[in-house]
């Protein structure tokens, strides 16, 4: 079995997803701009036990789902891992100009800047239950834009699942009551 960075002994209790996120997340002050405390999940993704445990936690709190939507770009990695565990496919909700052909687009506001997300509606079966997966909820603008895109495409948003929620920014309110779960709050 591949080594992991958690330090768990062979007979010790398995660490929870929240513990692994706490231990492994890289915290960087003033990135990408001054004033932002950046929480970087790449060490969690690089650890085999943490990736499996966290991906499993993302899908655990939601009912039956038909598809997972991963949000570019960090949500792609988690969304694909979660989709394999859930036995579903994965949709790519992308930044502008990346998807060819007929697309839907939604503009939104970030903790630092503004942005747009795009989706291929042809990949979304009408009435399918889609779980939106991303690494982090800050203002909630990204996840809310993804939900609006999926609903315009004819999907039912089964929920929004993120690894980290920055509670002071109250991003949940942007989700307007859609089911929401998080692995760790800061
Ligand atoms: O809740 P919000 O305020 O919308 O912010 C959260 C979003 O910001 C980050 O993505 P970013 O746009 O920086 O893209 P990246 O994943 O490509 O780095 C993060 O991965 C979330 O998608
Ligand atoms: N503080 C933060 N850390 C990591 N990703 C983010 N996306 C938006 N805010 C963020």
């Amino acid at each position: 079995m591949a080594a992991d960075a958690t330090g768990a002994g062979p007979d010790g209790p398995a660490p929870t997803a929240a513990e692994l996120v706490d231990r492994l997340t890289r915290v960087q002050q003033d990135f990408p701009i001054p004033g932002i405390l950046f929480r970087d999940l790449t060490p969690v993704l690089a650890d085999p036990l943490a990736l499996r445990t966290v991906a499993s936690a993302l899908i655990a709190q939601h009912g039956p789902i038909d598809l997972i939507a991963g949000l570019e770009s960090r949500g792609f990695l988690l969304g694909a891992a979660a989709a394999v565990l859930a036995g579903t496919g994965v949709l790519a909700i992308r930044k502008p100009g990346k998807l060819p052909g007929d697309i839907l687009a939604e503009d939104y506001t970030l903790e630092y800047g503004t942005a747009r997300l795009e989706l291929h509606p042809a990949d979304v079966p009408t009435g399918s239950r889609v779980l939106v997966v991303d690494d982090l909820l800050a203002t909630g603008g990204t996840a809310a834009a993804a939900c609006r895109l999926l609903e315009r495409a004819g999907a039912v948003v089964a929920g929004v699942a993120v690894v980290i929620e920055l509670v002071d920014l109250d991003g949940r309110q942007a989700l307007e009551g859609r089911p929401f779960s998080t692995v760790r709050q800061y």
Side-chain angles (χ1 to χ4, degrees):
M1 185 164 165
D4 67 60
T6 62
D11 302 319
T16 66
E19 286 166 349
L20 290 164
V21 170
D22 245 1
R23 274 186 225 169
L24 295 173
T25 299
R26 179 183 293 119
V27 181
Q28 181 77 43
Q29 184 67 61
D30 297 327
F31 182 88
I33 58 170
I36 299 291
L37 184 68
F38 193 81
R39 296 188 184 272
D40 174 23
L41 277 174
T42 55
V44 175
L45 300 170
D47 182 87
L49 175 65
L51 177 60
R52 174 175 288 275
T53 306
V54 167
S56 175
L58 288 170
I59 55 178
Q61 293 176 49
H62 297 275
I65 53 170
D66 303 308
L67 265 174
I68 285 178
L71 310 190
E72 185 166 0
S73 53
R74 290 171 263 162
F76 284 175
L77 300 162
L78 288 158
V84 170
L85 292 178
T88 71
V90 64
L91 292 170
I93 298 195
R94 300 216 61 177
K95 305 266 168 82
K98 306 284 189 181
L99 295 175
D102 291 337
I103 53 139
L104 295 175
E106 280 279 338
D107 294 313
Y108 63 101
T109 308
L110 277 177
E111 192 184 3
Y112 39 83
T114 61
R116 168 177 290 214
L117 285 180
E118 296 179 350
L119 168 74
H120 264 149
D123 295 342
V124 184
T126 302
S128 54
R129 292 179 55 79
V130 182
L131 179 65
V132 174
V133 166
D134 205 359
D135 63 330
L136 180 142
L137 191 86
T139 65
T142 307
C147 291
R148 293 195 298 274
L149 275 179
L150 288 162
E151 288 163 356
R152 284 170 58 197
V156 175
V157 174
V160 174
V162 301
V163 181
I164 290 175
E165 177 187 15
L166 303 182
V167 286
D168 286 353
L169 294 171
D170 197 21
R172 278 181 193 232
Q173 147 275 327
L175 301 180
E176 298 177 324
R178 297 176 183 97
F180 173 75
S181 69
T182 184
V183 171
R184 186 72 173 94
Q185 295 179 317
Y186 293 104

